[in-house]
Structures are given as structure tokens and as C-alpha cells.
Amino acid sequence: MDKQLLYSMLVVYLGITVLLGYLGYRHTKSAKDYMIAGGNVHPVLMALAYGSTFISTSAIVGFGGAAGVYGMSLLWLTAFNIFIGVFVAFVFFGVRTRQIAHQLQVKTFPEFLGARFDSLFIRRFSAGMISLTMPLYAAAVMIGGARYMEEALNMSYTLALTIFALIVLAYVFFGGLRGVIYTDAMQGLIMFAGMAALIVLTYSLLGGVTPAHSKLEALKQLVPAGLAAKGHLGWTAMPAFGSEIWWFVISTLILGVGIGVLAQPQLAVRFMTVASSQDIYKGLSIGALFILFMTGVAFTVGALSNVYFMEHGGTLALAATAVGGAVPNVDKIIPLFITQAMPEWLKYLFLFTLLSAAMSTLSGQFHIISTSISYDLNPKQARSDKKTLLLARLGTLFGFVLTIALALKLPFGVIAVATALFFGLCTSAFLPMYTAALYWPKVTPAGAIASMVIASAIYLCLVLFVHEKEATIFGICFKLFGVNTLALAPWTYIDPLVVTLPISALVLVTASLLTQPVPQTVTEGR
């Protein structure tokens, strides 16, 4: 290990991060500065902040590792991320969100929903749900960064997790969203450079683009029997239609995250930070290019890692993580590939790439947790900016502690699952009402409340008692009934989102139509 190179890069990285965090702190004088960065962020900074918040270690390590198991079928998630997560999100959701937020004079996603429906319950319920469930997603992101530090720097997982968390906490605690956006933009550039170097060196290592993909195609004869029985057809093909793996890849990974991005509170608030709707259009191409490069590289490298491990160790990627009889861990595929296959300088550059990815996402997550707790759960119009900032920073500490506890408790291979779970819950609870808030004047508060509450309750029940991956992780079903799931296939592996999103939309429309206000003329006629 070239410690001098590592420490030099670390000093430069932390120096820039501290400087940007300090600039954010200097310019954070009011609640508006802390919540939406003053509402005058440059469109390029907004697009980079959006992309770097969206793409985290969860995408690079967790989903990259999943590509090592399931192959390049995950590139469909890249397509969804670009079309839905950037184009649809910016053009159809971002512009309207910024316009309505400006009209309503709101600063957070829960406040936006509460003000649009004139419902304090909606604001508090959404803020409470975000505060309690966002740490699960944050823990997945933190695990991804800590696992790479553990592998690259040969340190304990607990120590890596602690260092990682303290760095993030420091600049989010003081800088608010302005500091977050400054550092997000810098980290986005580092992420781009790191992923560019990774894809070039990976193809060079494997003999070029065409040879690398030909070698990966040839590995289909080595698909483990257990995976083949569940529909795995090789790392360059889609899983067998309707099989267990097909449902996991399509419903959980691709649909769950690809659509779920539209209802992410930490991303929606980014649209409130720019001065005009035109600024959102200006950031569109940058956001699309960033997402294409980040996810496309991660999923391609994850799949191709099988070629490297087979050529250099005679084993597939997942099996390579089970050294010394250890339990295979999909979350260690990308870290192991980087540390074994790449030159020393790229190991460190990729360390800062992952550090940047994790910090940019975690900062947005902790920020939305802090504002939900301090500003939305107990809104007071007369509260001073000074008190709001104090409570927001205490909210950050709450999110930090809960995230660390989950990161220490969650089992191996959980990054992609935990991320998809949070995305699915937000999609079920928020997406129909959020869409209606933007485009359907006839939606009523009663319809929005019914949709949000019923969808949340059904989703959580399915996660805890039906969908086997999550039900096994939480263990509540086993403790109560002695089995991991109460359902039979295929419902044990069809993602809950497939059930709850249509129910949420149906409840929203039905309840809104049934609770339409009585026209004034009819009332007078009576």
C-alpha cells in the first residue's frame, strides 16, 4: 500500500470538502438557506447535485454487485434511470414542482404535499415516515462505502463505518443544503473521473470491448445450478421470463428503483433550489449524461468481473467473495474486483469515488431527515430561523444515530434490497398523490390521505409477511408464525410495489371522486 499517495489524496479531498462545507456554512443564514440553498442555485450545480445524490454506493457497490450475480440485464435499470429518473423527473415533475413550490412558498417535500392539500396530517405523516424509514436507505449507502474501505485499506468494518459517518455528519450538520450542493457538485466530478478510469481499465484488462463481452457470453455454461433453476440464463441475457430471478430483476431492481426515483423526497427538493423553470431544462442534459455514465459503468463492470475472477481464480464473482469458507457477500464483489484487479492509484481514486458517492447521497438523506423532524413534524410559523437551524441540526444527529445502528445490524448482501425497499415504499405512498398534486385539480385531501396511508400499510405488511427476501431479514414473520413468509410462490418473490402502486392509485382516484366538494349552487338550492 502506497500510504504517501493515499494520504496526499486524502488531504486534498478533505481540504476541498471542508472548504466547501465552510462556504456553505458562511452562506447559511436563514431557514431558506438551510432548506433549499436560498432558491438560487446554478442549474449545473443542481444537475450534478441531483445526479450525485441519486447515484450512491448503493448503485455502484450494491447494484454493481447485483450485476455480478444477475448480469447485464440490470442495464435496463440504466435506461429507466435516464428516461424516468432524469427526463420525466425534470420535465414533467421538476418544472411543476418548482412552480407550485414557489407559489406556495414551501421549502420541503412534506411541506409541499401538506400545503398543496391543505392538510397538516399529510405533512406530518410524510415527515414521520421519511424520518423513520430513510435511515434504512442511508444505512445501505453507508454499508457500501464502509465495505470498500474495509477491503481497500485493510481495516475493520466498524472502524471504516465510523470514519465514513463522521466525515458526512460534519459538513451536513453545519452547512445545510447549500453546503451539501457545493460538495455534491465536487463529488459528482470525482465520481465521473473514477468511473471513466474504471471502465477503460476494465476493458483493457480483459482484452478489449468485444473480447470481454465474448468471454462473458461463454460463461453461461458455468451458471450455478441453484441460479439456473431460478431462471438465470447467463450474464449477457435476460433471466427466463416469469422466473423467480426475472421477477426480482424486473419488479424489485428495475421497476422499484427506476420508477421510485420520481417519489424520492431528497431529489424532489433539488428542484426547489433553482431560480426558474428554465434552469431545470438547462440541467437536463448534464443529469442524463451523469446517470448514464455512473450506472452504465457500474452494471457493466459488475457483470464483467466474472470474467476476471474466472481467469485469475477459477471462480465466479460471488464465489470469489467467500474466501476461507466465509458466507458469499454480493456487496463485496465490486470492492474485491477493484482491490485485486486495478492499479494502486485507481484503488485510491475509486475509494474517493465511492466516498464521494456515499457522502453526496448521505448528505441529502440526512438533510431531509433533519428538516422533516425539525420543520415538518412540528411546524410553527412564529419559530425563529435560529431555532429552526438548531432543531434541524439535532434532527441530523437523530438520523445519524439511527443509520449507524442499522448499518451495524443489517446482514450481508443487503444494499440493493434495502435501497429497493425504501424506493418501493416511497413510490407506493407518495407517487400517486404527488402526481395528482401536480396535474389533477380534482384530487381531494381525503383521497390523498387514504392513498398514502393505505398504500403504506399494505406495503409494510407485504414486506414483513409476504416478500421473502425482506421478511427473512426482519424476522418478524418467523417470530410470530415460525415461517419466513405466509405466502406461496410467485408472491414470495414478486415485489410488493407491483401490488401496492396500483392500489394506491385506485384508492386516490376513488376516494377523491367520492369526496368531491358539493358545488355552491347545489348547497344554496337546498
Side-chain angles (χ1 to χ4, degrees), residues 168 171-172 180 184 358-368:
V168 177
Y171 78 84
V172 180
V180 167
D184 279 358
M359 289 176 69
S360 58
T361 301
L362 285 166
S363 61
Q365 292 167 332
F366 285 150
H367 177 265
I368 200 75

Side-chain angles (χ1 to χ4, degrees), residues 298-318:
F299 303 160
T300 300
V301 169
L304 290 173
S305 68
N306 285 283
V307 176
Y308 171 81
F309 288 119
M310 184 56 65
E311 290 182 344
H312 292 80
T315 185
L316 296 170
L318 184 60

Side-chain angles (χ1 to χ4, degrees), residues 46 312 327 356 497:
M46 184 278 293
H312 292 80
V327 177
S356 298
L497 180 66

Side-chain angles (χ1 to χ4, degrees), residues 181-204:
I181 285 182
Y182 289 168
T183 51
D184 279 358
M186 179 270 289
Q187 288 157 354
L189 295 175
I190 293 175
M191 290 164 65
F192 196 92
M195 298 303 277
L198 177 61
I199 192 65
V200 170
L201 289 177
T202 297
Y203 278 126
S204 176

Side-chain angles (χ1 to χ4, degrees), residues 24-38:
Y25 174 75
R26 284 286 305 272
H27 291 91
T28 300
K29 304 298 184 182
S30 66
K32 185 177 182 181
D33 287 332
Y34 194 92
M35 307 292 180
I36 57 172

